[in-house]
Amino acid sequence: MEKNKFSEVKSGVQQIIDFIAKKNAREANTKLAEVSEQLDELLDFAEEDEDLMEVSRYQVLLNQLHQKIAGLNGQATESI
């Protein structure tokens, strides 16, 4: 699998982090769903163990980012 496919995922993860930093949970959630779909596609076509490990790393990272986004949503409702 080509590394440039993971560069798209990496770029998407950075965008999610940027949205979280701006406390924009809605956009972060949207981007997280897009990146998650990209990872699912990469997983479907992964042939090498190295590719599977890379997908797994990104899945763990996306789970952590999802928790951060959920925390933002909690903060938004607390401030109302």
Side-chain angles (χ1 to χ4, degrees):
M1 188 175 299
E2 298 174 24
K3 282 292 183 189
N4 66 6
K5 291 185 181 180
F6 284 109
S7 67
E8 290 180 30
V9 171
K10 183 178 178 180
S11 173
V13 167
Q14 184 59 55
Q15 289 176 357
I16 295 167
I17 293 168
D18 292 344
F19 287 132
I20 291 171
K22 295 176 185 175
K23 300 193 184 316
N24 188 340
R26 180 174 292 166
E27 290 296 325
N29 261 329
T30 301
K31 193 63 181 178
L32 186 125
E34 290 174 18
V35 174
S36 187
E37 283 182 30
Q38 289 175 334
L39 273 182
D40 287 345
E41 283 185 34
L42 291 172
L43 182 60
D44 288 343
F45 296 105
E47 296 176 0
E48 304 288 327
D49 286 346
E50 182 181 317
D51 295 336
L52 292 172
M53 290 187 322
E54 191 74 10
V55 168
S56 178
R57 288 183 196 114
Y58 278 109
Q59 286 175 328
V60 169
L61 178 57
L62 288 182
N63 284 335
Q64 292 172 338
L65 291 173
H66 179 71
Q67 291 174 0
K68 285 283 191 189
I69 294 167
L72 286 179
N73 286 333
Q75 289 175 356
T77 56
E78 289 175 9
S79 64
I80 294 177

